[in-house]
């Protein structure tokens, strides 16, 4: 097999479903294609008859005869890794059901999400190059899937603290914010954790439903106000909401096992979960092309403010995008990020694209005004 280099032809299409695989075979060739995480044990005849020169099979199951044939064609075969609680080659974003499989029967500790976190805790600092490679492969695959899913979408990031309790006024306000943004045609993206992040995803989930549904959902969730002391109870309450009001609206969340003690909220229909935090933060902010709203938070939210400020300051991702900080007292006195942000923005293109508002209810209007700036 030939190693791809700068003289190699561009890669062929990516295939992430058996239907797409069958369509490619019917078209006459798999040459150069990238096939991810498929069970091809029932497609042996197709593999033996198709041209697979230069194809790459990532984590695909296939019979030994088919595997030998595609290797002889010059394909690269990266076999599945047994015993892992995650798929390092996955071609799709996660769903809540995928991360929380087994929750009702065995509690949170039995779920793929919890098992992946335990694996990460065991391997993150043991110097195992193989484990590091698997994490990197997984995170790169997630980034690829996230970029494909959000291509062309008008994405607004909503950042805020994980400690905002269900049943509180700030939680309800963040949920109404998510609902308003979704009804305005924006794709809500959050850091994927509990608190204000969950509330924004919840709001987007309830956007297609009548207004009273959000209040009823918040009341139900308040019976398990925090993921401590029981992640199981906290998550089961969320899935109860989803069962009572199916057909919710879509949104995206981008959590990380780096902060795995904070479980992912189940209200985003697409979850891009990473092992490393840096690509997760970069992905969240890079994809928030319609701007970012920062609710009151602590160190993590402060970091996100300035992670967003840096590319806006230097123009490293193109033109600056809107930034709306919510909570005048919080961001000027408690954690005075606003004066520094305003000083950095002075005289630069981003100066007209930052705003500070008092209340969550003002945030969508501020975002719309900033987005309309020439």
């Amino acid at each position: 097999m030939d190693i791809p280099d700068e003289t190699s032809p561009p890669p062929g299409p990516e295939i992430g479903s058996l239907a797409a695989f069958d369509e490619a075979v019917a078209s006459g060739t798999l040459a150069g294609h990238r096939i991810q995480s498929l069970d091809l044990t029932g497609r042996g005849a197709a593999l033996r008859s198709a041209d697979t020169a230069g194809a790459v099979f990532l984590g695909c199951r296939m019979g030994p005869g088919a595997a030998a044939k595609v290797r002889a064609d010059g394909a690269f075969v990266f076999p599945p890794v047994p015993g892992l609680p995650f798929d390092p080659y996955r071609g799709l974003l996660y769903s809540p059901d995928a991360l929380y499989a087994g929750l009702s029967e065995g509690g949170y500790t039995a779920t793929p999400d919890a098992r992946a976190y335990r694996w990460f805790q065991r391997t993150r600092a043991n110097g195992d190059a193989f484990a590091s490679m698997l994490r990197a492969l997984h995170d790169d695959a997630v980034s690829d899937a996230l970029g494909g899913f959000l291509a062309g979408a008008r994405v607004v990031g909503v950042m805020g603290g994980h400690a905002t309790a269900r049943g509180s006024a700030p939680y309800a306000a963040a949920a109404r914010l998510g609902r308003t943004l979704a009804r305005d045609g924006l794709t809500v993206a959050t850091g994927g954790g509990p608190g204000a992040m969950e509330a924004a995803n919840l709001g987007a989930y309830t956007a297609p439903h009548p207004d009273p549904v959000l209040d009823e959902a918040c009341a139900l969730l308040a019976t398990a106000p925090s993921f401590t002391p029981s992640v199981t109870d906290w998550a089961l309450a969320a899935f109860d909401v989803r069962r009572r009001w199916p057909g919710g609206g879509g949104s995206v969340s981008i959590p990380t096992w780096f902060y795995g003690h904070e479980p992912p909220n189940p209200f985003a229909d697409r979850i891009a979960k990473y092992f490393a935090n840096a690509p997760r933060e970069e992905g969240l902010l890079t994809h928030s092309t319609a701007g970012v709203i920062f609710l009151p938070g602590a160190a993590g939210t402060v970091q996100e403010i300035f992670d967003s400020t840096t590319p806006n300051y230097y123009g490293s991702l193109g033109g600056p995008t809107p930034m709306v900080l919510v909570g005048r007292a919080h961001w000027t006195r408690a954690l005075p990020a606003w004066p520094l942000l305003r000083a950095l923005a002075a005289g630069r293109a981003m100066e007209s694209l930052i705003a500070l508002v008092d209340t969550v209810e003002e945030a969508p209007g501020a975002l719309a005004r900033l987005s309309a700036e020439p």
Side-chain angles (χ1 to χ4, degrees):
M1 65 184 68
D2 295 325
I3 303 298
D5 59 23
E6 67 272 12
T7 66
S8 300
E14 295 181 0
I15 295 176
S17 70
L18 288 175
F21 176 86
D22 293 339
E23 183 179 345
V25 170
S27 73
T29 184
L30 290 170
H33 288 52
R34 274 57 175 147
I35 302 99
Q36 290 179 263
S37 297
L38 298 184
D39 186 349
L40 300 176
T41 52
R43 299 297 197 277
L47 290 168
R48 286 189 290 272
S49 63
D51 178 11
T52 57
V56 179
F57 293 86
L58 298 167
C60 295
R61 293 178 175 82
M62 61 183 81
K69 183 268 179 185
V70 300
R71 285 192 177 98
D73 276 355
F76 289 84
V77 178
F78 293 80
V81 181
L84 287 179
F86 64 95
D87 178 3
Y89 309 111
R90 63 178 301 108
L92 302 172
L93 298 177
Y94 291 99
S95 68
D97 288 336
L99 287 176
Y100 281 101
L103 175 70
S104 299
E105 299 78 19
Y108 176 67
T109 58
T111 65
D113 186 68
R115 291 168 54 220
Y117 180 45
R118 290 196 297 270
W119 178 89
F120 179 53
Q121 287 180 303
R122 289 196 306 270
T123 64
R124 62 188 295 183
N126 67 2
D128 183 356
F130 184 52
S132 297
M133 182 194 74
L134 292 173
R135 293 194 298 268
L137 284 172
H138 170 274
D139 286 1
D140 187 70
V142 167
S143 289
D144 187 54
L146 180 63
F149 180 74
L150 291 179
R154 296 174 60 227
V155 181
V156 58
V158 178
M159 314 299 176
H162 71 271
T164 303
R166 293 169 172 176
S168 68
Y171 184 96
R176 290 192 297 271
L177 171 65
R179 184 178 65 184
T180 298
L181 295 171
R183 288 177 174 176
D184 286 345
L186 296 163
T187 297
V188 173
T190 77
M197 296 172 281
E198 179 189 62
N201 288 127
L202 168 66
Y205 182 84
T206 62
H209 294 286
D211 284 358
V213 167
L214 180 56
D215 293 333
E216 295 174 42
C218 285
L220 190 155
L221 292 170
T223 61
S226 173
F227 62 95
T228 59
S230 173
V231 176
T232 299
D233 291 346
W234 176 86
L236 284 172
F239 279 101
D240 192 9
V241 168
R242 294 180 65 97
R243 280 190 297 272
R244 292 192 187 200
W245 296 284
S251 66
V252 173
S253 71
I254 310 179
T256 173
W257 281 294
F258 187 83
Y259 298 127
H261 60 287
E262 298 176 15
N265 80 73
F267 290 112
D269 63 327
R270 296 292 190 279
I271 303 174
K273 189 150 192 180
Y274 288 83
F275 285 105
N277 190 50
R280 169 249 190 174
E281 292 278 3
E282 181 182 3
L284 178 54
L285 296 170
T286 299
H287 288 296
S288 296
T289 52
V292 185
I293 296 172
F294 300 92
L295 302 176
T301 310
V302 172
Q303 176 183 342
E304 289 160 348
I305 288 173
F306 292 104
D307 281 346
S308 184
T309 298
T310 301
N312 283 344
Y313 181 90
Y314 288 110
S316 54
L317 297 177
T321 53
M323 299 174 63
V324 178
L325 277 61
V326 177
R328 191 175 301 274
H330 185 82
W331 294 122
T332 61
R333 294 198 293 274
L335 294 174
W338 173 252
L340 179 53
L341 174 60
R342 188 170 58 179
L344 286 168
R348 307 190 76 88
M350 65 179 291
E351 185 173 17
S352 63
L353 291 173
I354 63 172
L356 175 66
V357 297
D358 283 314
T359 66
V360 174
E361 289 72 22
E362 297 172 88
L367 181 70
R369 287 193 301 274
L370 297 181
S371 299
E373 288 288 331

